[in-house]
Amino acid sequence: MSNTNIRIAVQKSGRLSDDSLKLFKECGIKFESGGSKLRSISSNFPIEFLFLRDDDIPGYVEDGVADLGVIGLNVLEENKKDVEIVKELGFSKCRLSLAIPRNEIYTDLSYFEGKSIATSYPNLTNNFLKSQGVNAHTHEISGSVEIAPSIGLAEGICDIVSTGGTLLSNGLKEVAEVFKSQAVLISNKSLSPDKKILLDKLTFRIDSVQRGQNAKYVVLNAEEKNLDKIIALLPGMKSPSRVPLAENGWYSLHSVISENDFWEIIESLREAGAQGILVLPIEKMIL
Ligand code: ATP
Ligand code: MG
């Protein structure tokens, strides 16, 4: 047994932090977080957490100061650090979009020809405009981008949007999506063999948690004559389990269905004669 620790950088406080910490806790990894703590070693997995500003995370992972990191794809693509993207994590979903004052008439991207755009993401914005054949000037600012048009700094903006509420309250409207983002797990490109083993253990756990989140455990009762019809609707991990009930001619079926198919399947099940349908969350799913 080696005593290598793998070191992971996560955002200290912001829109990536809560879901990052939640994910590692759901992976069964115990560690302290919060307060003024900047690093923390897990008591039950050989991993050390570093709590940092998100902007610094890709660079630390590239340099090997941290072996792994959790970062928004938008930040990673803007700064182009030489790291491996291990997997998408499915949280902190947002988009980088172009927006203009609400009362402006917008037809297509040619609107931006020759105009100035304030953004914290000049590279992503310029690459997008270039790929669309539009010549515009970006003006890099590090925050409060939405205010730029109203103070005469720029004619449009390119900023992170999730619901659009902030744009609206600043008199802006979203007109084009430039980049779709979510949190990703990144890794240094030359991990030692010991650390690679730890990364594999970690991604195995993350996969199990993610599969569980996308699936529901379904239990239902059915009369024998309806079983075939109902079983045909239930995919299950292999095939559904069938357990006889105390009452003759009745069975309980147990199966797993994906969250996405959830409502559609439940309706067909009822039509096929399923009764007493229970839908339960799955904590982890190992294939
Ligand atoms: P730091 O202080 O660590 O530098 P920050 O202010 O740069 O933090 P946050 O606002 O916490 O960054 O956002 C971190 C990341 O979360 C963004 O880079 C983006 O990937 C994602 N994100 C930003 N806004 C949203 C949102 N409204 N909804 C979901 N995810 C978002
Ligand atoms: Mg930041």
Side-chain angles (χ1 to χ4, degrees):
M1 239 343 241
S2 89
N3 48 13
T4 313
N5 264 351
I6 197 158
R7 213 182 228 186
I8 184 164
V10 296
Q11 191 189 24
K12 177 161 167 46
S13 114
R15 291 175 191 269
L16 289 160
S17 339
D18 288 353
D19 284 338
S20 305
L21 299 184
K22 186 162 141 254
L23 174 66
F24 295 115
K25 293 195 166 154
E26 283 170 345
C27 286
I29 296 171
K30 293 193 175 137
F31 59 97
E32 284 179 40
S33 60
S36 56
K37 241 179 166 2
L38 296 181
R39 54 200 289 196
S40 170
I41 294 183
S42 166
S43 57
N44 65 351
F45 192 94
I47 191 166
E48 179 181 16
F49 290 85
L50 302 182
F51 302 108
L52 305 168
R53 288 286 306 272
D54 71 340
D55 316 64
D56 298 332
I57 292 175
Y60 279 19
V61 173
E62 181 181 44
D63 298 345
V65 172
D67 303 303
L68 308 174
V70 174
I71 187 71
L73 202 51
N74 52 317
V75 172
L76 192 64
E77 290 299 312
E78 176 66 22
N79 299 308
K80 283 283 175 212
K81 296 289 181 195
D82 194 22
V83 298
E84 197 84 50
I85 296 179
V86 181
K87 68 197 294 43
E88 295 181 337
L89 297 175
F91 58 82
S92 299
K93 286 192 173 167
C94 57
R95 56 193 185 273
L96 185 67
S97 284
L98 287 160
I100 58 173
R102 208 167 36 204
N103 50 9
E104 287 282 313
I105 296 163
Y106 180 82
T107 47
D108 55 36
L109 283 171
S110 64
Y111 173 91
F112 290 101
E113 188 64 38
K115 292 212 163 57
S116 61
I117 301 169
T119 183
S120 308
Y121 298 89
N123 295 329
L124 286 174
T125 307
N126 284 325
N127 290 345
F128 173 77
L129 291 170
K130 216 169 169 186
S131 75
Q132 303 294 315
V134 177
N135 288 303
H137 322 281
T138 51
H139 191 112
E140 184 174 358
I141 53 179
S142 59
S144 305
V145 176
E146 307 85 0
I147 204 181
S150 68
I151 58 172
L153 182 71
E155 291 158 287
I157 67 163
C158 191
D159 202 15
I160 295 290
V161 183
S162 61
T163 60
T166 313
L167 289 183
L168 212 63
S169 62
N170 283 285
L172 300 171
K173 62 180 175 190
E174 184 178 357
V175 293
E177 181 178 296
V178 168
F179 187 78
K180 249 190 186 17
S181 182
Q182 63 172 292
V184 290
L185 177 68
I186 56 172
S187 145
N188 177 270
K189 280 204 159 164
S190 39
L191 288 187
S192 68
D194 279 358
K195 287 182 176 176
K196 274 210 177 99
I197 292 172
L198 291 177
L199 173 58
D200 284 347
K201 283 189 177 174
L202 185 65
T203 53
F204 176 81
R205 292 192 188 195
I206 294 174
D207 288 343
S208 308
V209 170
Q210 285 184 335
R211 260 186 238 114
Q213 283 166 347
N214 292 328
K216 298 282 172 205
Y217 192 81
V218 178
V219 182
L220 58 87
N221 294 332
E223 242 180 311
E224 192 160 15
K225 63 174 184 211
N226 293 327
L227 280 184
D228 288 348
K229 237 186 318 174
I230 294 175
I231 287 172
L233 291 167
L234 291 171
M237 285 173 76
K238 218 176 181 111
S239 82
S241 320
R242 197 179 69 175
V243 185
L245 295 186
E247 189 179 334
N248 230 341
W250 279 83
Y251 289 85
S252 164
L253 291 176
H254 296 226
S255 185
V256 173
I257 65 178
S258 96
E259 171 97 75
N260 301 337
D261 300 336
F262 180 69
W263 288 110
E264 219 171 298
I265 294 198
I266 294 296
E267 273 187 13
S268 328
L269 287 174
R270 276 162 52 94
E271 282 162 18
Q275 296 182 13
I277 305 172
L278 296 181
V279 180
L280 310 160
I282 294 175
E283 196 179 290
K284 294 179 184 79
M285 196 161 140
I286 321 290
L287 293 181

